[in-house]
Amino acid sequence: DDSNCVTWEEFRLAGQKLRYPRFASAWRALDEDISQSISMVEYDPGSADLLRSFRNWALVNFGSIRQCFKVLDQDGNGGVTFAELKRACHKMSWDGDVRILFDYLDVDGAGILAEGRRSVTYNELAFLDSWTSEPTEQEFACIDDAVMAEGRARRKPGNSARVDAITARLVTPVEFSLARNRGCEFLSRPPE
């Protein structure tokens, strides 16, 4: 489904179709985090990062992979050559490795234009429109910072100390030994 996420069921069906004898063992080796799905990040993090970076760049600059392709295909012949891709990426400040990206996208190597040059077609790029990628640690940190800033901006003046006190109580682990010493009935009873 071009989502960059393979479920156990998809993997199992592919293993059976290919008559791979130990697909369950292969799955266990690939799904290290036991998330019940695998993505390119788990088996080729460098490639996943390059494709994620290009996809994000295309979405920010063009809105979609389809629109990106239309702009990259400057001569309108249905294919983007390495030179066209490199020129656009440089001009619009994508700092990834264009050669490696081009080779990744031209999977079959069959995208040859009439002039005899290799090219990438939209069909070879289309999967990036539905491709999902896991946020990086840096992206998680940015999201956390934005949420915290938004929360601080919503606070009413004068409530800051009260909100901070409540937040501190919510994020501080409860010490059960203190609760028992205070005579909390539900903690001193034996489990039923």
Side-chain angles (χ1 to χ4, degrees):
D1 62 2
D2 292 335
S3 68
N4 184 36
C5 183
V6 178
T7 64
W8 161 247
E9 186 63 18
E10 292 169 325
F11 193 84
R12 184 184 65 76
L13 291 173
Q16 288 174 339
K17 185 176 180 178
L18 295 170
R19 299 181 200 275
Y20 187 75
R22 298 181 52 155
F23 60 85
S25 298
W27 174 264
R28 293 280 295 157
L30 290 169
D31 188 23
E32 291 179 352
D33 61 355
I34 311 173
S35 63
Q36 299 182 3
S37 67
I38 55 174
S39 70
M40 188 180 279
V41 170
E42 292 177 275
Y43 61 85
D44 192 351
S47 297
D49 188 48
L50 184 75
L51 290 169
R52 181 191 55 77
S53 170
F54 178 76
R55 178 182 185 273
N56 290 346
W57 172 82
L59 294 177
V60 166
N61 287 287
F62 306 104
S64 71
I65 298 300
R66 180 177 294 282
Q67 281 304 117
C68 176
F69 183 81
K70 287 179 181 179
V71 172
L72 294 176
D73 185 16
Q74 295 171 348
D75 53 11
N77 64 0
V80 175
T81 65
F82 174 70
E84 287 174 319
L85 183 62
K86 184 175 180 180
R87 191 176 314 114
C89 289
H90 177 71
K91 184 178 178 182
M92 299 188 76
S93 302
W94 183 65
D95 59 354
D97 190 323
V98 180
R99 170 51 71 190
I100 292 175
L101 176 69
F102 186 81
D103 290 341
Y104 283 171
L105 296 175
D106 188 20
V107 177
D108 60 4
I112 307 292
L113 295 173
E115 306 90 47
R117 296 178 297 171
R118 277 179 60 202
S119 67
V120 174
T121 64
Y122 173 71
N123 288 340
E124 292 173 302
L125 280 174
F127 76 95
L128 289 173
D129 259 334
S130 58
W131 204 61
T132 58
S133 60
E134 299 160 3
T136 64
E137 291 299 321
Q138 183 181 8
E139 289 168 336
F140 274 129
C142 288
I143 292 168
D144 286 346
D145 291 346
V147 168
M148 293 298 287
E150 184 179 318
R152 284 191 295 272
R154 287 185 182 172
R155 288 185 192 169
K156 294 178 182 175
N159 283 345
S160 182
R162 192 167 145 235
V163 169
D164 288 342
I166 292 169
T167 302
R169 283 189 301 224
L170 291 173
V171 298
T172 305
V174 175
E175 299 235 358
F176 289 105
S177 60
L178 290 175
R180 278 195 185 113
N181 291 339
R182 291 185 186 143
C184 291
E185 184 181 323
F186 72 93
L187 288 175
S188 57
R189 280 188 307 209
E192 297 175 2

